[in-house]
Amino acid sequence: MEWFRQWFGPLYEEIYVHRDPAEARVQVDALLALTGIPALPVLDAGCGAGRHLSVLRERGCRAMGMDLSAHLLSQAILSGPSVLADLRAPPFRSGSFGMVAAFFTVFGYLERREDDLALLSALTELVAPGGTLYLDLPDPLQVRTSLIPRDEKMLSGLHVVQERWIEDGQVFKSIRVQRDGEDAQLYLERVRLWEFEDIDAEATRRGLARVACFGHADGREWTPGSPRMACLWRKTA
């Protein structure tokens, strides 16, 4: 089974509790400062519990959420329209959106490089001519230089052991979680580390022209080794 079909439930929220609405506001504001409010709707692709989605709506965007996790989507849907769907098979017509945005490492989950590229094509197809595609990706250099092979901590009554490694251009994280008196549960994350030149070239082949690449949530420019590599492209046709 694909790892992301198992992982994005209640435990995910407990482990990633530090991802808060304040961070989402900073990121959305930096993005909209460059693009403006699109005339067409915005799709938050892989919206999770909706922390970016709610900010997009607060800022005046007609925003729609889409996610594969029924648990996370049950929270996102409280603030407006959202749909349960696989990003690889979105239930929308071509060119429906003025912006498609994938925040916080939604892209790169799939086992094969070719599968990632098929997803890139599917997301691009949803963008109207003149609209934008935004992919918030991990910076490969930052991941390689700051990777912590193993850590162990107590978090909200959970004993969490995380192990990380890089193999075949992907970063893996094994997450072992145990509550007192309960059996341990084991989960796996896997994300492909797309180099900037490669993902930008693939975007160009799909009729996208680069507008900017952010290295920080507040919109500062990306350079190799930045905390993030968030790319923004405009669809030219």
Side-chain angles (χ1 to χ4, degrees), residues 4-5 43-47 65-68 83-92 100-103 105-110 118-124 126 135:
F4 46 85
R5 294 182 181 274
L43 178 65
D44 186 347
C47 65
M66 179 169 62
D67 203 277
L68 190 58
V83 62
L84 179 68
D86 191 316
L87 299 186
R88 293 168 289 187
F92 303 109
V100 173
F103 297 97
T105 316
V106 170
F107 185 81
Y109 288 3
L110 304 175
L119 174 56
L120 179 62
S121 295
L123 295 178
T124 301
L126 296 176
L135 296 184

Side-chain angles (χ1 to χ4, degrees), residues 111-163:
E111 185 173 355
R112 301 184 309 156
R113 186 177 186 274
E114 294 78 9
D115 296 330
D116 277 354
L117 294 177
L119 174 56
L120 179 62
S121 295
L123 295 178
T124 301
E125 183 68 19
L126 296 176
V127 181
T132 53
L133 174 66
Y134 176 80
L135 296 184
D136 179 12
L137 307 171
D139 176 86
L141 179 60
Q142 193 275 338
V143 171
R144 294 186 183 104
T145 57
S146 66
L147 189 76
I148 299 172
R150 187 181 189 277
D151 64 58
E152 186 172 351
K153 58 189 173 183
M154 293 299 298
L155 183 64
S156 302
L158 300 173
H159 181 214
V160 182
V161 179
Q162 300 182 109
E163 297 183 312

Side-chain angles (χ1 to χ4, degrees), residues 18 43 62 71 90 187 193 201 213 225 234:
H18 58 289
L43 178 65
R62 291 185 292 142
H71 171 79
Y187 298 91
L193 297 174
C213 191
R234 190 171 303 281

Side-chain angles (χ1 to χ4, degrees), residues 72-87:
L72 296 179
L73 201 65
S74 68
Q75 301 171 58
I77 205 168
L78 295 176
S79 60
S82 300
V83 62
L84 179 68
D86 191 316
L87 299 186

